[in-house]
Amino acid sequence: MHSKGQSFIKGAAILGIAALISKLLGAVYRIPYQNITGDVGLAVYNKVYPIYSMLLIIATAGFPIAISKMVSERLALGDKRGAKRIFKISAYILSMTGILFFIILYFGSDLLAVLMGNQQLSIAIKSVSFALLIVPLMAAIRGYYQGHQYMVPTAYSQIVEQIVRVITILVLSYWFIKNDYGVYYAGAGAVFGAFSGAIFAFAVLLLFWKKTNRMTDEIFLSHGQVEIQQFSQQPVVGIIKKILYYSIPIALGSLILPLFGVVDSFSVSNLLQALGFEKTQSEYWFGIYTRGQPLVQFTAFFATSLSLALVPSISEASARKNHQLIQERTDLALRLTLLIGLPASVGLAVIAEPANILLYENNVGTKTLAILAFTSMFSTLGITSSGILQGIGQVILPARNLFIGVIIKLVLNLILIRTFGIDGAALATVSAYAVATFLNLIAVNQYTGIKIGFLNFFVKPTIATLMMGAIVWIAKEFLELAISPFIPKERLLMAVVSIVSVSLGIIVFAFSLFIFGAITKKDLINTPKVGKKLITFTERLRILKD
């Protein structure tokens, strides 16, 4: 058997990998979905799903962590009976909240659709509501397993859930469109993927449940036998209060991010209709506006990976009260994140048109996509700075700052959409994330004492990014002129233009960072996993500075 510390680290790694795979799948499926249903179909999905996400978080967020903590406490005392009692009570609570929110969403679908400016959205809202009957119960099972530090069921079920969900989205949307049911039924089929994914994930958890009940002593960690308090005899109300005490703060923090999507769902189309757009037109332009989401999420995927690698090391330094190490690792985490987000934003803005045509078949909304590209810079810094604050124990601040961003998003939507249409919605999104991120950075500076060097943090990366942007733009313009006579198909042409331009840009950016000293040998030494390999490679090229 592995030690408890090793099991925890291995379990965290398994969950981290599963989360990254799920995020990657979640970032790319909307592109083929839009190709099947068009932009109105994309709008149906992107308007309805945030509402489901919000209700799901209210119903379940924080419960897996709360359950795992309480179960782990009982098992540490050898009280397996008490651990199972916690699970049974929490499973009952979550099942009831799931049923409650299913009823609210299913029977309130007509009202919600009207509030979103389109009665036809009702069928999609009803479709997604069924997932609330299963997903909350899964949260209880996952929390119970995590309390045993047995992360494999959670990881496998998350991956299966996402794979089945993506398959359902693409298959059902294609079937409804092919059989002339229209985009609203296609959207309903797509969001039904939340239910089908949950069914398969639940089946995976049940298989593990059967296996672990039969082989408990072999699979679960053994805990020392000590005198057991009669926890299992405590009143149910006391257990419920303790679960809620742990889960509600986490739920409130998790609730903020989906509110960005909810704000858009209830404001963008309504404001466009107030400007004189017809209902179908407003949905079409909402779909155009949301084209940039997968690209921004894809960038955030890499920032999340970096955050998962660096933030635990910051938490470790915080636990040791090693303030110098906290500052060094915080500085490295923020700089490396900026070195992902800044060039990603500029690069995507430069190739917005070929990327738009490549992924979505035409260049409609290219300006909006270019504006939204800058969300990448602020969202990636926001993810990492939130992780840093959580790592040093400031768990409320990131949620508060993000909530301020949501308020700014709503206010700016009301102001800017009236003047700039969907470009105004994009500007509101960038501004909201920018404010939330700057508030995070102020808090990071306050609580870690980090001194951000203007030259290394801003000037050198900006110079490298501008050089990259110039090379990408030149390559894009040249390739469009030079090879267009030889590649008559526009999407294929834009694929070549995008891939070659971005590849050149990455090479130029990477070399510029080392040449200007934006990344030094010390930085690579402190970078987990890949640092040593990069040192060897860059020293061979003689571009690494001390």
Side-chain angles (χ1 to χ4, degrees), residues 482-503:
I483 66 175
S484 57
F486 306 101
I487 306 178
K489 292 186 177 181
E490 189 176 32
R491 293 188 80 178
L492 181 58
L493 171 65
M494 293 306 166
V496 174
V497 169
S498 299
I499 292 170
V500 174
S501 300
V502 169
S503 299

Side-chain angles (χ1 to χ4, degrees), residues 63-379:
F63 270 84
I65 295 175
I67 295 165
S68 68
K69 178 177 175 61
M70 294 173 66
V71 166
S72 181
E73 288 173 353
R74 288 298 94 203
L75 292 176
L77 297 173
D79 187 6
K80 293 182 180 180
R81 188 175 163 205
K84 286 187 177 180
R85 190 161 187 259
I86 291 168
F87 164 71
K88 289 177 182 178
I89 293 170
S90 59
Y92 179 80
I93 296 170
L94 286 171
S95 296
M96 291 301 101
T97 57
I99 292 170
L100 173 63
F101 284 111
F102 162 74
I103 292 170
I104 292 172
L105 196 56
Y106 186 90
F107 292 101
S109 59
D110 290 338
L111 175 61
L112 289 170
V114 169
L115 292 174
M116 286 191 286
N118 189 348
Q119 180 66 45
Q120 290 176 282
L121 294 171
S122 177
I123 183 67
I125 298 172
K126 284 185 170 71
S127 179
V128 78
S129 66
F130 289 98
L132 290 167
L133 296 173
I134 300 176
V135 177
L137 180 57
M138 288 199 305
I141 299 173
R142 286 168 172 168
Y144 182 67
Y145 277 127
Q146 289 168 32
H148 287 82
Q149 297 184 20
Y150 186 40
M151 310 300 186
V152 173
T154 298
Y156 278 26
S157 64
Q158 284 178 346
I159 294 171
V160 168
E161 182 178 11
Q162 191 69 289
I163 290 173
V164 173
R165 176 169 162 258
V166 170
I167 291 172
T168 303
I169 289 169
L170 300 180
V171 170
L172 287 186
S173 61
Y174 177 80
W175 189 87
F176 280 117
I177 292 295
K178 185 178 181 180
N179 290 279
D180 298 322
Y181 281 89
V183 293
Y184 291 98
Y185 275 90
V191 294
F192 188 75
F195 179 69
S196 63
I199 288 286
F200 277 82
F202 189 59
V204 170
L205 289 172
L206 289 181
L207 288 173
F208 275 102
W209 187 267
K210 183 178 180 181
K211 178 182 177 182
T212 52
N213 272 352
R214 188 173 65 245
M215 303 172 62
T216 300
D217 293 333
E218 294 181 28
I219 294 179
F220 288 156
L221 298 177
S222 60
H223 296 271
Q225 295 299 317
V226 298
E227 185 179 351
I228 301 169
Q229 297 177 354
Q230 293 301 311
F231 184 88
S232 57
Q233 301 304 312
Q234 285 191 3
V236 172
V237 174
I239 297 174
I240 293 173
K241 284 182 178 179
K242 193 169 183 181
I243 292 172
L244 294 177
Y245 173 79
Y246 289 128
S247 62
I248 288 177
I250 299 170
L252 292 175
S254 303
L255 182 63
I256 307 302
L257 193 57
L259 286 178
F260 277 89
V262 172
V263 166
D264 279 334
S265 294
F266 284 93
S267 64
V268 175
S269 293
N270 282 323
L271 289 168
L272 291 175
Q273 289 178 42
L275 292 174
F277 288 84
E278 294 180 357
K279 180 176 66 178
T280 303
Q281 283 182 311
S282 68
E283 299 292 30
Y284 168 76
W285 286 109
F286 183 88
I288 295 293
Y289 159 66
T290 59
R291 283 184 176 187
Q293 287 183 1
L295 300 175
V296 172
Q297 287 176 350
F298 192 72
T299 307
F301 164 79
F302 291 103
T304 303
S305 304
L306 180 66
S307 180
L308 284 171
L310 286 171
V311 169
S313 67
I314 294 172
S315 300
E316 178 191 4
S318 178
R320 295 179 178 178
K321 301 187 184 302
N322 189 334
H323 298 295
Q324 182 178 351
L325 190 58
I326 291 173
Q327 291 176 358
E328 289 177 357
R329 290 177 175 176
T330 297
D331 177 75
L332 178 62
L334 291 175
R335 283 197 294 117
L336 290 181
T337 301
L338 185 67
L339 296 179
I340 294 173
L342 182 58
S345 294
V346 173
L348 180 56
V350 172
I351 65 160
E353 184 172 25
N356 203 8
I357 296 170
L358 166 64
L359 301 176
Y360 300 111
E361 304 178 287
N362 58 54
N363 66 352
V364 179
T366 292
K367 184 179 177 182
T368 306
L369 180 58
I371 295 170
L372 277 175
F374 289 92
T375 307
S376 299
M377 176 172 63
F378 297 114
S379 67

Side-chain angles (χ1 to χ4, degrees), residues 376-536:
S376 299
M377 176 172 63
F378 297 114
S379 67
T380 51
L381 274 175
I383 290 169
T384 300
S385 57
S386 293
I388 291 167
L389 289 171
Q390 291 164 1
I392 59 175
Q394 300 297 324
V395 295
I396 302 297
L397 282 176
R400 184 206 68 180
N401 295 339
L402 204 55
F403 182 71
I404 293 171
V406 170
I407 300 299
I408 290 171
K409 166 67 176 168
L410 176 60
V411 172
L412 290 181
N413 266 9
L414 296 172
I415 297 171
L416 297 177
I417 290 175
R418 295 180 183 277
T419 305
F420 302 106
I422 59 171
D423 290 346
L427 287 168
T429 299
V430 175
S431 301
Y433 274 105
V435 170
T437 297
F438 280 124
L439 290 174
N440 272 3
L441 293 176
I442 291 171
V444 168
N445 179 68
Q446 178 183 349
Y447 287 100
T448 67
I450 182 178
K451 296 179 181 179
I452 297 176
F454 184 75
L455 180 64
N456 287 330
F457 195 85
F458 292 107
V459 176
K460 291 179 180 179
T462 300
I463 293 172
T465 300
L466 291 175
M467 289 182 64
M468 178 213 70
I471 293 297
V472 170
W473 183 83
I474 292 169
K476 175 180 76 75
E477 294 295 318
F478 172 77
L479 288 169
E480 286 182 9
L481 289 173
I483 66 175
S484 57
F486 306 101
I487 306 178
K489 292 186 177 181
E490 189 176 32
R491 293 188 80 178
L492 181 58
L493 171 65
M494 293 306 166
V496 174
V497 169
S498 299
I499 292 170
V500 174
S501 300
V502 169
S503 299
L504 286 172
I506 291 172
I507 293 170
V508 170
F509 182 72
F511 273 85
S512 299
L513 290 177
F514 290 107
I515 291 170
F516 290 114
I519 294 180
T520 64
K521 187 173 183 177
K522 182 180 178 181
D523 295 329
L524 295 182
I525 291 172
N526 291 326
T527 303
K529 299 179 182 179
V530 298
K532 292 181 180 179
K533 294 179 181 178
L534 286 174
I535 289 173
T536 302

